[in-house]
Amino acid sequence: MRVRDSVVVVTGASSGIGRATALCFARKGAAVVLAARREEALEEAARECEKHDGAQTLVVPTDVTDPEAVDALAQRAVERFGRIDVWVNNAAVTAIGPFQEVPLEDIRRVMDVNVMGYVYGARAALPIMREQGHGVLVNVSSVVGVVSQPYNQAYTMSKFAIRGLTSSLRQELKIEGVRGVHVCSVLPATIDTPFFDEAANYSGRKVLAMPPVYPPERVARAIVNMVRMPRRETVVGPMGRQMVMESKMAPGTVENTMGIMFDRKHLSRKEPAPANTGNLYEPSPDSGSVPGGWHGRRRTNVRRTLTAVALVGLVAGVGRRMPLVGGGRGNRRARHVLPVAVGAWKVARVVKKRRSG
Amino acid sequence: MKLMSRAKGARFQTDFDSSANTVRALGSFLHGESHRGMSMGPGSPRLANGLARLPRPVRRRIFAGMGYQQAIPLDRVRDVRIEDLDEWVVQQYGPGPYPALVIGSTSGAVVHLAAALGAPFLPQTQLVSVRDTATHPDDPRAALDAIAPLARRVAANNPGIAVYHMHDPGQDRAMLEKMAYLRLKRLELGEAYERFIEERLAPGAPIIQVECTRDWRTREIGDRAYFQFGCLGGIPEEEYHDTGERITEFLHTAKSDRDGWEPPETDARRPEAEWGFHPSMAEGVRRVAERSGHPVRRLTFEDPQVPSAFVADFYRSWYRERGMEGNRLLVESYVQWDPLWVLKVGAVPFWLRFNMRPAQEALIDYLEGLEGGDRGTGDGSEPDPYDEIRLNVFSQGLKSPGLVPPEEWRETIERYARRKAEVIGVDEEAYPVDPGSTMRFQPAFEGIEGRHPLPTPLPVDAIDTFLAEHGGGRYGVGWS
Ligand SMILES: NC(=O)c1ccc[n+]([C@@H]2O[C@H](COP(=O)([O-])OP(=O)(O)OC[C@H]3O[C@@H](n4cnc5c(N)ncnc54)[C@H](OP(=O)(O)O)[C@@H]3O)[C@@H](O)[C@H]2O)c1
């Protein structure tokens, strides 16, 4: 689909990936409709969009947990621009902590925003797209929609659910012979956004961005490309691709590795944090921004993490090869794991050289 | 299994904690060893001197670094189990059978009392420190909020204890920059202690329950979890909650960007986090003692500093009964004690809780009381001052309010010693930012001339006899 002159609705456009996506579409000449709760932040984002060839924008403050508000968002977009070509479901929140300590209502709220918010978005957008005979619905899931995280139960559930929803909708459209309407999901790895500082947190430990951290513009570009050439699913960030791939070959190993990495790298081991509801019920008071300030640490950590992944891959590979360890099954898979591990190790070496050089 | 527990317990232990050092010192003593280097590290004055020569900011950072290194990473907080710490405690002692047991509140005087009785000590309270590089030491509200989820978790995982998050930016400042203190106070006796009583005491051996009744204003932050701002030291409790000029001045010299402290509201007075005795544990002690035929004796006092005078005089009279002069005083502070060498050099131990003004006052009170006649107790008793007084003070890494400088310590002891007054094992230039302080004290004790054979332990009755003669009231201690 052509991006120039298309009409794009983005939820969660006041910050992070959503904001970067709105900007990216504006730069490519699309009209963008920006939705989230923080009006001022949306206005600011809209002004940034307009800097590019006077792109057209519309700001619609919306809480995505309110189905009527989401319907109204679609209506406003249609009223203003006559149609909706692209709808990006992106608004999301998280609540981190030991399972028994996260309040039930917080778990419910995460599901409401991350899952029901997407459901409302899809129900508002799809009829319009079917009517038009074309359109792309992009659901931003996460690598966490493939590889779960500990202490992040609701978020994990929601991101798995989004992939389920996306795939189910695709089947439905297929069966019904709807050709021009596409439903895709985008699975980012760790992205440098304010997301981590906004998380509801009961872990007692500061939430960190788990390295390696990629810039949000990368996800924005992936979403734009998704619209140009719709695909079922795309993963953003080599580390994410790596994990998704390895999880198909050695799911148990990757599950364990992610568990350990989350505990060691996603939650601080030296900075405690008060219990708080983050931006679950009220948006944060600041004016929103694209980056979250995690990028500087990226390169330092990239090599180390890749090395770790390489080692894990190696262990998984060796484990699979040795009947005593791996149970003797899946030798075929091992052939894939080893090159992946070696690949990661090579990348790690290059990064190291670049740093020292 | 036990070995694992011991390793775990040791990992959670904080090396400079008063309880840990009571246990270590008595464990060493009962094995015939000294408390050199806090029974762990090297006791090398040469190494200590090397450290003292480093620039002050570097030494200051060494303190913070030592703290950080002691603190457990936050992902281990969920593994903290009081049973592992208890297991560590009981592993410090031999198989017994011991003629007596001391249990409850810690105090340096109690270390020496237990040593005189040949008794091990089981602490009610133990310290686990956790990493915290984020909280501003002078922001107690933020500290409470940040640590509360962790304190609550430890309490939830350990039903038999109360957890105190103790935050004292006065005295513990150097440490607080990178860590937070969780004091775990037993509310029940616990299985390891119970087994210890059943298996390692001689038949009929008395159990001395030490109860420090000191309390402090605190705030409940969860089930069995409390926040305590400040602690016993150079700053009166009131001043922590109503900071004035002295604190502002201190904060400025400590290069803080704050002018005062604004602690959170408190909701009750509770047993003081580090030294206070929580009466809940008494029931368990009573039950197990009764079942296994051990009488329970109680030693009570209002402040950990209080029993120092009693224990000093108790030692003095013991020495005299053994035909020694008992005219040599060794003043120790915080965890720089050594029950073995006190006996070897025939010194009367007088313990200071820390190196602050209130400790100095306690020492002066004691020495003044020995001047006899109208000075001292004013009861017209014969003067009985010490010939020699030696004093060693602990270095806590910064000049906290109420800190007494070495010159003043020297003047104090010179005023009361008849023949010789000496500050020993202290690098006066580096003090109180002397990271080698814990390596220095014990060799200095060993350097005191004269050697005496180790006496056989006293029976607990000796306390009865001594107090009957001198009166516990005079010392501020209760004995029943
Ligand atoms: N950052 C990462 O590492 C990462 C990795 C994988 C996937 N993702 C996914 O990427 C998407 C965007 O996340 P991000 O990293 O950009 O996080 P972010 O900067 O925190 O953005 C989240 C957005 O959601 C909006 N939002 C939250 N609750 C809302 C509600 N009830 N109604 C409407 N809008 C709401 C927020 O705006 P208001 O507060 O103004 O409403 C904000 O614009 C999410 O789906 C996330 O799961 C992120």
Side-chain angles (χ1 to χ4, degrees):
Chain A
M1 207 180 91
R2 220 173 97 102
V3 170
R4 174 165 289 282
D5 297 329
S6 63
V7 177
V8 182
V9 179
V10 182
T11 70
S14 59
S15 159
I17 292 171
R19 190 155 169 165
T21 303
L23 274 167
C24 191
F25 273 110
R27 204 174 286 142
K28 306 282 180 206
V32 285
V33 181
L34 301 102
R37 291 168 300 178
R38 279 172 295 177
E39 184 165 8
E40 247 173 68
L42 292 172
E43 294 287 0
E44 200 184 287
R47 279 195 296 279
E48 283 164 24
C49 290
E50 285 156 11
K51 280 189 199 143
H52 300 288
D53 287 339
Q56 300 199 69
T57 61
L58 173 67
V59 165
V60 186
T62 311
D63 187 325
V64 297
T65 59
D66 174 357
E68 283 167 18
V70 178
D71 268 339
L73 164 64
Q75 287 315 314
R76 293 276 312 276
V78 173
E79 274 163 27
R80 171 75 190 272
F81 298 112
R83 55 178 207 282
I84 295 173
D85 301 310
V86 179
W87 182 290
V88 184
N89 273 327
N90 165 80
V93 290
T94 186
I96 288 174
F99 187 48
Q100 298 293 345
E101 291 178 35
V102 180
L104 271 184
E105 57 171 336
D106 284 14
I107 295 182
R108 196 172 292 128
R109 175 73 182 179
V110 171
M111 298 308 279
D112 268 353
V113 177
N114 299 13
V115 179
M116 294 314 287
Y118 281 36
V119 169
Y120 305 146
R123 271 166 83 117
L126 285 176
I128 297 171
M129 292 176 176
R130 288 175 78 138
E131 175 88 21
Q132 292 166 178
H134 76 271
V136 182
L137 171 65
V138 180
N139 289 332
V140 179
S141 172
S142 166
V143 168
V144 181
V146 178
V147 185
S148 59
Q149 289 182 334
Y151 305 115
N152 206 3
Q153 316 83 7
Y155 185 78
T156 300
M157 291 193 295
S158 76
K159 292 298 163 182
F160 269 75
I162 290 161
R163 289 183 64 228
L165 170 69
T166 312
S167 145
S168 174
L169 291 176
R170 216 162 28 228
Q171 291 171 315
E172 198 170 320
L173 290 169
K174 180 99 180 174
I175 288 170
E176 296 182 7
V178 182
R179 286 265 165 114
V181 180
H182 304 276
V183 188
C184 329
S185 47
V186 174
L187 281 54
T190 312
I191 309 298
D192 177 23
T193 73
F195 189 70
F196 310 94
D197 294 325
E198 315 256 290
N201 184 5
Y202 301 90
S203 69
R205 301 160 62 186
K206 185 175 153 64
V207 180
L208 310 172
M210 184 165 72
V213 181
Y214 303 100
E217 289 75 17
R218 208 152 156 168
V219 187
R221 277 199 302 275
I223 293 175
V224 170
N225 287 336
M226 215 34 158
V227 169
R228 284 185 173 139
M229 264 221 294
R231 281 186 289 155
R232 295 175 53 247
E233 192 165 275
T234 187
V235 182
V236 183
M239 178 63 170
R241 267 197 294 282
Q242 175 105 23
M243 290 207 95
V244 169
M245 198 153 68
E246 279 183 19
S247 79
K248 289 182 185 145
M249 299 180 282
T253 313
V254 173
E255 182 179 297
N256 288 340
T257 313
M258 176 65 111
I260 293 165
M261 288 205 326
F262 188 98
D263 191 31
R264 304 214 136 204
K265 306 277 180 197
H266 213 322
L267 297 178
S268 175
R269 301 178 77 210
K270 55 182 188 182
E271 292 173 82
N276 69 91
T277 56
N279 71 344
L280 247 47
Y281 304 100
E282 293 296 332
S284 87
D286 62 47
S287 62
S289 66
V290 172
W294 299 99
H295 201 64
R297 303 176 206 180
R298 177 175 167 226
R299 249 182 303 153
T300 353
N301 288 315
V302 132
R303 180 179 47 85
R304 264 195 244 147
T305 314
L306 280 172
T307 310
V309 172
L311 284 175
V312 166
L314 211 65
V315 170
V318 172
R320 296 280 153 176
R321 268 168 188 230
M322 297 213 290
L324 268 180
V325 185
R329 290 191 298 120
N331 270 353
R332 213 158 34 85
R333 288 176 180 168
R335 262 179 267 141
H336 300 287
V337 176
L338 275 175
V340 164
V342 171
W345 178 70
K346 278 185 185 156
V347 178
R349 268 200 3 192
V350 172
V351 173
K352 187 179 174 183
K353 263 195 206 142
R354 241 200 270 154
R355 281 189 68 219
S356 53
Chain B
M1 201 40 210
K2 260 193 192 159
L3 212 66
M4 284 258 297
S5 245
R6 177 207 203 136
K8 257 201 253 166
R11 230 180 28 222
F12 293 139
Q13 205 77 53
T14 307
D15 287 342
F16 53 81
D17 173 38
S18 48
S19 285
N21 277 284
T22 304
V23 172
R24 276 208 189 91
L26 285 168
S28 298
F29 173 77
L30 295 168
H31 284 112
E33 286 159 23
S34 75
H35 191 47
R36 195 182 186 98
M38 305 205 291
S39 297
M40 296 176 324
S44 153
R46 204 182 295 168
L47 188 54
N49 290 341
L51 290 175
R53 269 196 289 275
L54 295 168
R56 194 185 163 96
V58 177
R59 281 183 272 131
R60 182 85 171 63
R61 247 176 288 150
I62 292 178
F63 270 93
M66 289 194 302
Y68 186 66
Q69 191 240 331
Q70 290 287 309
I72 60 169
L74 300 179
D75 54 328
R76 312 260 31 118
V77 171
R78 58 172 171 254
D79 301 331
V80 173
R81 291 292 178 281
I82 188 70
E83 290 79 12
D84 294 328
L85 289 158
D86 288 353
E87 201 57 50
W88 174 85
V89 168
V90 299
Q91 302 259 357
Q92 303 308 304
Y93 302 113
Y98 292 109
L101 169 70
V102 183
I103 191 167
S105 301
T106 189
S107 144
V110 169
V111 172
H112 291 293
L113 186 66
L117 307 173
F121 172 83
L122 305 178
Q124 180 181 39
T125 306
Q126 301 196 62
L127 173 64
V128 172
S129 45
V130 303
R131 290 185 188 172
D132 179 359
T133 58
T135 310
H136 193 303
D138 299 313
D139 191 346
R141 286 165 200 252
L144 179 152
D145 286 342
I147 300 297
L150 302 169
R152 283 195 287 262
R153 189 162 308 144
V154 175
N157 286 338
N158 295 277
I161 63 168
V163 178
Y164 286 70
H165 170 206
M166 188 182 107
H167 187 85
D168 177 13
Q171 190 163 272
D172 300 332
R173 185 179 199 81
M175 295 296 168
L176 278 193
E177 280 167 12
K178 291 191 171 173
M179 61 192 248
Y181 287 35
L182 297 181
R183 298 216 181 256
L184 316 189
K185 214 179 267 299
R186 276 213 145 285
L187 301 175
E188 295 160 3
L189 187 57
E191 207 215 292
Y193 286 7
E194 202 166 318
R195 245 187 304 121
F196 191 94
I197 293 174
E198 282 166 350
E199 294 169 4
R200 301 202 218 173
L201 298 194
I207 298 174
I208 300 176
Q209 181 172 289
V210 181
E211 306 174 22
C212 171
T213 55
R214 188 68 167 89
D215 57 9
W216 200 274
R217 59 191 86 176
T218 51
R219 175 185 174 127
E220 190 173 46
I221 52 175
D223 194 17
R224 288 174 288 103
Y226 312 103
F227 176 75
Q228 175 176 313
F229 183 58
C231 69
L232 279 176
I235 308 170
E237 186 179 350
E238 203 48 53
E239 206 174 338
Y240 280 102
H241 290 269
D242 186 10
T243 61
E245 244 167 64
R246 187 164 82 134
I247 299 300
T248 309
E249 208 171 288
F250 162 61
L251 292 179
H252 289 168
T253 47
K255 300 206 168 60
S256 173
D257 52 6
R258 309 286 164 111
D259 299 323
W261 294 320
E262 283 173 36
E265 292 287 303
T266 57
D267 56 16
R269 297 192 71 82
R270 296 187 174 83
E272 198 278 332
E274 182 173 7
W275 312 96
F277 183 74
H278 200 300
S280 281
M281 196 176 84
E283 173 48 29
V285 175
R286 194 197 55 76
R287 184 174 40 81
V288 177
E290 200 173 85
R291 196 175 64 208
S292 36
H294 300 289
V296 178
R297 309 298 307 269
R298 296 171 62 198
L299 180 67
T300 55
F301 43 82
E302 274 178 9
D303 184 292
Q305 182 64 64
V306 166
S308 290
F310 150 56
V311 171
D313 282 357
F314 183 63
Y315 262 70
R316 204 174 190 193
S317 84
W318 184 25
Y319 285 150
R320 285 177 175 168
E321 273 162 32
R322 289 169 55 210
M324 294 154 65
E325 282 189 355
N327 275 341
R328 164 182 276 182
L329 185 71
L330 177 61
V331 184
E332 302 163 317
S333 76
Y334 193 46
V335 301
Q336 297 190 163
W337 49 49
D338 191 338
L340 182 76
W341 279 84
V342 154
L343 290 170
K344 278 199 175 180
V345 302
V348 169
F350 186 94
W351 176 74
L352 305 178
R353 214 202 53 76
F354 228 63
N355 49 6
M356 309 285 198
R357 198 66 62 197
Q360 185 197 27
E361 281 158 16
L363 176 64
I364 292 175
D365 272 357
Y366 174 63
L367 295 174
E368 194 70 23
L370 302 174
E371 292 295 312
D374 295 332
R375 289 177 74 182
T377 50
D379 57 4
S381 58
E382 285 297 303
D384 191 12
Y386 285 96
D387 291 338
E388 302 169 16
I389 304 179
R390 292 179 182 78
L391 177 142
N392 172 264
V393 273
F394 181 83
S395 250
Q396 76 271 41
L398 85 161
K399 253 200 186 97
S400 347
L403 185 92
V404 178
E407 320 72 82
E408 217 181 300
W409 282 117
R410 186 171 312 101
E411 279 165 27
T412 307
I413 56 175
E414 273 171 359
R415 211 175 322 140
Y416 296 100
R418 235 189 266 165
R419 274 214 305 272
K420 185 171 189 168
E422 224 183 339
V423 173
I424 60 170
V426 178
D427 183 315
E428 300 189 17
E429 296 261 298
Y431 177 86
V433 194
D434 179 13
S437 161
T438 56
M439 292 186 240
R440 237 189 271 282
F441 76 97
Q442 198 279 339
F445 295 178
E446 271 189 43
I448 301 172
E449 75 284 1
R451 292 291 179 267
H452 298 267
L454 282 184
T456 46
L458 286 172
V460 174
D461 301 349
I463 302 177
D464 293 313
T465 318
F466 175 84
L467 286 178
E469 211 170 288
H470 297 86
R474 168 167 160 204
Y475 295 109
V477 299
W479 175 248
S480 57

